[in-house]
Amino acid sequence: MNFLSINVRGIGEDYKVNWVRRLRSQHRVSFLAVQETQILDAENIDVAACWGNQDVDFVRLNATGRSGGLINMWDKRVFMQVESIYSRNYIITKGNWSGIQEPLYFANIYGPHPIHEKATLWAELLQLKQTKGGIWIMMGDFNVVRRPDERFNSVFCSRSARDFNNFIHDCGLIDVKMGGHRFTYFRNEDLKLAKLDRFLVCPSFIDLNPTLSVTALPKEISDHCPILLSTTWCDFGPPPFKMFNSWLSRDGFEQIFISAWNNFVGFGTPDQYLNAKLKRVKEALKEWRRTDYLKEEMKIKKIKDLVDKLDT
């Protein structure tokens, strides 16, 4: 199961709807959280068009002026809603997921800008988390960073970061390490960058899905990167064989190559023969590299030990 969070910065245009639908289909998303729809009447949003088919259920929240607006969408074949809790800055959807015994809470969050409103939001979410048992997954645009290195070319607010970090700790949530892009928000032609979007999950959810990962996808047509939480383990097969130019200067490489090339015996058509011969050379080089790698590691260890000795 995959989960996607997108700050679309307005979903009234067809190209935004098509973008959301493409991402949902491409990444086989089962739960989709959208922030900043900027639609005053959320009933005007074509949710089925965003999802791509009719196997969808949803809850939505109107925007306030040109700000906010939230939608939670999910595959109704695998998730059944029990209740939803609404606020100006979040929609929390509780339900049952096929194959999981405990109820799941999906919190789609769009954090406010003022510091005191952020603190109020964290207090509300903490109280809900403590009073309602189950597995929690919080996602969205939190409008706050945790550390100075999560901002570039903008002012770091230590108070907001402290409040947010305390909230994560008190909730017992884990900020899943994100791959892909380092920042998720780009402003003024990429002069101001920040990591505002993230997934916060319960440890019990990680226990159920130990291979989960979070990736910041290309931002394309919004100033925010969509973020994808994936629980699917992908087997891409054995790693491809790579030969580096540095091997040419190593002791034994030339002899191994010449021996494998000259001593090969094979049959078949010319292309089959050449393919088999190259495969034999590759196998010989891989065997040589395994031995050479151990020698290299021992050499590096001796150098490190010497450096440690000099430092001491």
Side-chain angles (χ1 to χ4, degrees):
M1 49 185 174
N2 295 336
F3 311 90
L4 187 67
S5 174
I6 313 178
N7 184 320
V8 294
R9 288 302 298 271
I11 202 171
E13 300 87 354
D14 289 341
Y15 72 93
K16 290 279 186 76
V17 173
N18 295 337
W19 177 51
V20 171
R21 181 173 63 249
R22 173 170 57 82
L23 290 175
R24 207 289 306 175
S25 175
Q26 178 182 347
H27 298 286
R28 299 179 180 180
V29 171
S30 300
F31 191 98
L32 173 60
V34 180
Q35 305 91 42
E36 280 209 278
T37 62
Q38 298 180 353
I39 302 294
L40 292 176
D41 187 356
E43 292 187 2
N44 293 328
I45 301 172
D46 190 347
V47 176
C50 294
W51 190 262
N53 57 53
Q54 298 296 325
D55 296 324
V56 60
D57 202 355
F58 59 92
V59 290
R60 51 197 174 186
L61 182 69
N62 295 338
T64 303
R66 288 286 296 170
S67 175
L70 300 167
I71 309 177
N72 287 355
M73 312 179 206
W74 58 87
D75 187 339
K76 62 184 181 182
R77 297 171 299 179
V78 296
F79 181 71
M80 180 178 295
Q81 177 194 192
V82 175
E83 67 170 325
S84 287
I85 305 169
Y86 300 86
S87 172
R88 178 181 176 182
N89 295 106
Y90 60 79
I91 300 178
I92 301 174
T93 301
K94 174 189 176 182
N96 299 313
W97 197 283
S98 177
I100 299 179
Q101 294 182 348
E102 291 187 76
L104 266 67
Y105 289 84
F106 293 101
N108 180 9
I109 297 167
Y110 176 61
H113 291 280
I115 296 176
H116 68 280
E117 292 185 15
K118 286 187 175 74
T120 301
L121 174 61
W122 309 147
E124 287 182 16
L125 292 172
L126 176 60
Q127 184 178 13
L128 288 169
K129 169 72 168 54
Q130 291 176 337
T131 56
K132 294 183 178 292
I135 299 174
W136 281 73
I137 302 171
M138 297 188 185
M139 67 196 86
D141 175 7
F142 291 83
N143 259 321
V144 64
V145 299
R146 302 189 63 185
R147 302 183 303 273
D149 62 353
E150 292 186 347
R151 279 194 178 277
F152 178 78
N153 257 359
S154 59
V155 178
F156 171 73
C157 178
S158 58
R159 177 183 169 186
S160 294
R162 181 178 65 251
D163 291 345
F164 188 48
N165 287 326
N166 289 338
F167 160 71
I168 294 173
H169 177 268
D170 294 340
C171 282
L173 298 172
I174 295 175
D175 185 1
V176 184
K177 184 177 180 181
M178 185 180 297
H181 294 272
R182 178 181 175 185
F183 302 102
T184 65
Y185 173 63
F186 302 78
R187 183 183 177 189
N188 294 341
E189 297 182 353
D190 298 352
L191 294 179
K192 293 185 178 181
L193 316 174
K195 182 181 177 182
L196 304 181
D197 308 81
R198 65 186 77 233
F199 277 93
L200 304 174
V201 304
C202 284
S204 55
F205 185 72
I206 297 179
D207 293 338
L208 291 172
N209 305 278
T211 60
L212 67 79
S213 62
V214 173
T215 305
L217 305 175
K219 64 185 180 69
E220 296 188 52
I221 57 178
S222 173
D223 55 4
H224 285 257
C225 292
I227 54 174
L228 175 72
L229 187 149
S230 176
T231 63
T232 306
W233 181 77
C234 297
D235 183 5
F236 297 99
F241 175 75
K242 295 181 181 179
M243 195 191 86
F244 298 91
N245 291 339
S246 60
W247 294 2
L248 301 175
S249 61
R250 293 187 178 277
D251 294 336
F253 174 85
E254 185 175 352
Q255 292 83 351
I256 291 293
F257 186 95
I258 293 174
S259 175
W261 185 268
N262 292 337
N263 296 330
F264 174 77
V265 177
F267 304 93
T269 60
D271 58 335
Q272 292 175 333
Y273 177 84
L274 178 60
N275 180 64
K277 191 170 188 176
L278 291 173
K279 185 177 180 180
R280 176 67 192 101
V281 171
K282 182 182 75 172
E283 291 172 350
L285 289 178
K286 289 172 71 174
E287 293 173 4
W288 165 80
R289 179 56 187 156
R290 277 193 286 268
T291 304
D292 186 70
Y293 177 77
L294 295 176
K295 295 179 181 178
E296 186 179 83
E297 286 291 296
M298 292 178 64
K299 185 176 181 180
I300 292 174
K301 186 177 183 304
K302 289 181 180 179
I303 294 174
K304 287 182 176 180
D305 290 344
L306 178 59
V307 171
D308 291 340
K309 184 178 180 180
L310 292 173
D311 285 342
T312 303

